[in-house]
């Protein structure tokens, strides 16, 4: 891991360009959420509780996950113990990076705590307002990799016209050899920026749609965000050379089964399954089980096989990149489309309220 490029050096204070990018992401997250919230004259005390919790929990969890699966990056020496490196992860921010699932879970948990404390009627209600800003937060966190050498492609790019930013970045190894790797971080930045507009459109058109019981009218914008984030993260994480593989330090017996699996992809797939199962159960309970639900379940199983076996496994095991990524992307599109269809089955009428 390359050290972060320094933006400001003032006495003992060091601010890196990576931190500056993340700061703009946090600022965009706060600004967008506050703008939507104020327009509807909600109580500001809820955001006063949510914002600090979201920032702190997102930082702790994203950094903690990255430390756990990449302890070697935080070790000052090979003899350093696992626990002794955790202080490095939280005190020397110019070392290492952030694990995006921790950001999502931190914001989610913060909304849950805010709801438990009684500031909002439900966590989903608050998360709907935070979803568009979370897209920008994730985008700028990924852009911060421009300054620390993380989140780049696995294989060298040999096409001369593509050997330049924003398609690629130059990487120099210990022997001085220069190769060009795909700028995965920038591609994900662009995709999450596009997702922002899609989530924003969903926010304006669907946030107040009246849902059939037992599907709640709140939380749907957040679940829409989870679909876009998860699909993008699964593909982008497969492309990068420094995926947070699930190599356990304290549960070493699990490494035989999980050391080649990406933690980011597992959590992203869990988010997709959550959205699918939520709307599937709501649709069945509101209108009864039908052949349409059976078709969705079968397509889900086929799509999971497409993402996992015919996609990621064939890419990593047999190097079938072109066919593997095509199948993976198509399978994720199918999962996202089914989530959308199941959502619509819970809200067939364009009946709005606020």
């Amino acid at each position: 891991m390359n050290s972060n490029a320094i933006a400001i050096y003032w006495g003992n204070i060091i601010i890196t360009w990576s931190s500056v990018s993340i700061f703009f992401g946090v600022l965009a997250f706060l600004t967008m959420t506050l703008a939507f919230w104020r327009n509807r004259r909600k109580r500001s005390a809820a955001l006063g509780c949510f914002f600090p919790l979201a920032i702190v929990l997102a930082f702790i969890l994203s950094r903690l996950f990255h430390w756990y699966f990449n302890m070697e990056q935080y070790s000052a020496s090979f003899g350093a113990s696992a626990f002794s490196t955790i202080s490095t992860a939280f005190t020397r921010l110019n070392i290492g990076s952030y694990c995006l699932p921790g950001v999502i879970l931190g914001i989610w948990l913060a909304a849950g705590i805010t709801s438990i404390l009684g500031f909002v009627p439900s966590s989903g209600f608050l998360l709907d307002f935070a979803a568009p800003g979370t897209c920008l937060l994730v985008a700028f966190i990924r852009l911060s990799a421009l300054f620390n050498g993380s989140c780049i492609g696995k294989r060298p790019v040999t096409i001369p016209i593509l050997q330049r930013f924003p398609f690629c970045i130059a990487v120099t190894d210990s022997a001085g050899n220069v190769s060009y790797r795909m700028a995965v971080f920038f591609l994900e930045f662009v995709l999450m920026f596009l997702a922002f507009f899609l989530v924003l459109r969903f926010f304006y058109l669907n946030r107040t749609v009246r849902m059939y019981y037992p599907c709640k009218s709140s939380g749907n914008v957040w679940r829409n965000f989870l679909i876009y984030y998860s699909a993008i993260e699964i593909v982008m994480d497969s492309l990068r050379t420094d995926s947070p593989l699930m190599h356990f330090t304290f549960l070493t017996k699990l490494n035989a089964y999980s050391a080649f699996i990406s933690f980011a992809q597992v959590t992203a797939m869990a988010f997709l399954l959550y959205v699918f199962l939520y709307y599937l159960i709501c649709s069945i309970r509101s209108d009864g089980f039908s052949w349409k639900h059976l078709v969705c379940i079968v397509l889900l199983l086929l799509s999971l096989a497409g993402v996992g076996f015919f996609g990621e496994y064939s890419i990593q095991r047999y190097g079938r990149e072109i066919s593997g990524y095509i199948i993976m992307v198509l399978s994720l599109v199918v999962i996202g489309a089914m989530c959308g269809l199941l959502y619509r089955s819970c809200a067939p009428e364009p009946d709005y309220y606020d």
Side-chain angles (χ1 to χ4, degrees):
M1 178 67 64
N2 297 330
S3 298
N4 287 316
I6 296 176
I8 299 175
Y9 185 79
W10 185 22
N12 295 326
I13 300 176
I14 298 177
I15 300 176
T16 63
W17 282 112
S18 178
S19 298
V20 172
S21 178
I22 294 174
F23 169 78
F24 280 113
V26 173
L27 187 62
F29 168 71
L30 300 179
T31 303
M32 294 300 300
T33 306
L34 182 61
F36 295 135
W37 194 262
R38 286 176 60 85
N39 286 342
R40 284 152 182 82
R41 299 174 184 175
K42 307 299 180 183
R43 291 183 299 174
S44 59
L47 296 188
C49 175
F50 171 67
F51 281 155
L53 284 173
I55 294 172
V56 171
L57 290 174
F59 168 74
I60 291 176
L61 291 179
S62 62
R63 196 69 171 165
L64 183 64
F65 287 144
H66 191 273
W67 162 80
Y68 187 77
F69 296 116
N70 301 275
M71 288 186 186
E72 70 283 352
Q73 296 183 16
Y74 302 92
S75 300
S77 63
F78 291 104
S81 65
F83 282 112
S84 66
T85 61
I86 192 170
S87 61
T88 302
F90 291 101
T91 57
R92 299 186 61 184
L93 302 184
N94 61 321
I95 298 177
S97 187
Y98 298 86
C99 196
L100 284 182
V103 176
I104 309 303
L105 293 173
I107 294 173
W108 206 336
L109 181 59
I113 295 174
T114 304
S115 175
I116 291 174
L117 293 177
F119 289 104
V120 288
S122 68
S123 60
F125 178 83
L126 178 54
L127 287 169
D128 284 344
F129 289 92
T134 306
C135 287
L136 297 180
L137 174 60
V138 172
F140 277 98
I141 290 176
R142 271 291 171 256
L143 184 62
S144 69
L146 171 64
F147 309 103
N148 60 27
S150 64
C151 199
I152 59 175
K154 295 178 180 178
R155 291 172 175 78
V157 176
T158 57
I159 303 176
I161 195 173
L162 298 179
Q163 292 178 338
R164 66 199 66 190
F165 189 78
F167 306 106
C168 295
I169 62 170
V171 177
T172 305
D173 59 22
S174 57
N177 300 313
V178 178
S179 62
Y180 294 88
R181 303 296 180 92
M182 180 186 296
V184 178
F185 62 88
F186 189 81
L187 179 58
E188 186 165 1
F189 165 76
V190 173
L191 291 175
M192 287 305 304
F193 208 85
L194 294 175
F196 162 74
F197 291 102
L198 294 174
V199 173
L200 188 63
R201 181 176 183 273
F202 189 92
F203 176 90
Y204 282 118
L205 296 179
N206 299 277
R207 188 187 68 82
T208 56
V209 169
R210 189 184 302 276
M211 308 293 288
Y212 283 158
Y213 179 84
C215 190
K216 297 180 179 179
S217 296
S218 62
N220 296 307
V221 182
W222 177 254
R223 283 183 279 272
N224 182 258
F225 156 76
L226 289 178
I227 294 173
Y228 291 117
Y229 160 78
S230 300
I232 293 171
E233 182 67 7
I234 288 172
V235 178
M236 293 298 101
D237 193 78
S238 176
L239 291 170
R240 57 188 293 192
T241 188
D242 58 340
S243 299
L245 301 179
M246 297 176 65
H247 182 82
F248 294 94
T249 301
F250 307 114
L251 302 173
T252 55
K253 291 184 179 180
L254 297 176
N255 290 333
Y257 311 99
S258 64
F260 60 93
I261 301 174
S262 168
F263 175 70
Q265 288 181 314
V266 170
T267 52
M269 184 56 68
F271 293 154
L272 280 178
L273 289 176
Y274 155 72
V275 176
F276 177 87
L277 292 175
Y278 177 85
Y279 288 124
L280 176 67
I281 293 172
C282 289
S283 179
I284 293 174
R285 292 184 62 183
S286 64
D287 196 35
F289 186 81
S290 68
W291 64 269
K292 297 179 182 180
H293 299 114
L294 181 60
V295 171
C296 287
I297 294 173
V298 173
L299 287 177
L300 173 69
L301 295 176
L302 293 175
S303 298
L304 291 177
V307 175
F309 183 79
F310 297 103
E312 185 66 14
Y313 181 77
S314 66
I315 293 170
Q316 306 301 336
R317 182 67 176 84
Y318 302 107
R320 299 169 182 168
E321 295 187 347
I322 296 178
S323 62
Y325 282 117
I326 290 176
I327 294 174
M328 180 186 292
V329 170
L330 291 177
S331 298
L332 290 170
V333 170
V334 170
I335 295 176
M338 288 191 299
C339 290
L341 290 174
L342 289 171
Y343 163 78
R344 287 300 175 188
S345 71
C346 298
E349 300 295 335
D351 184 16
Y352 293 80
Y353 73 96
D354 195 355

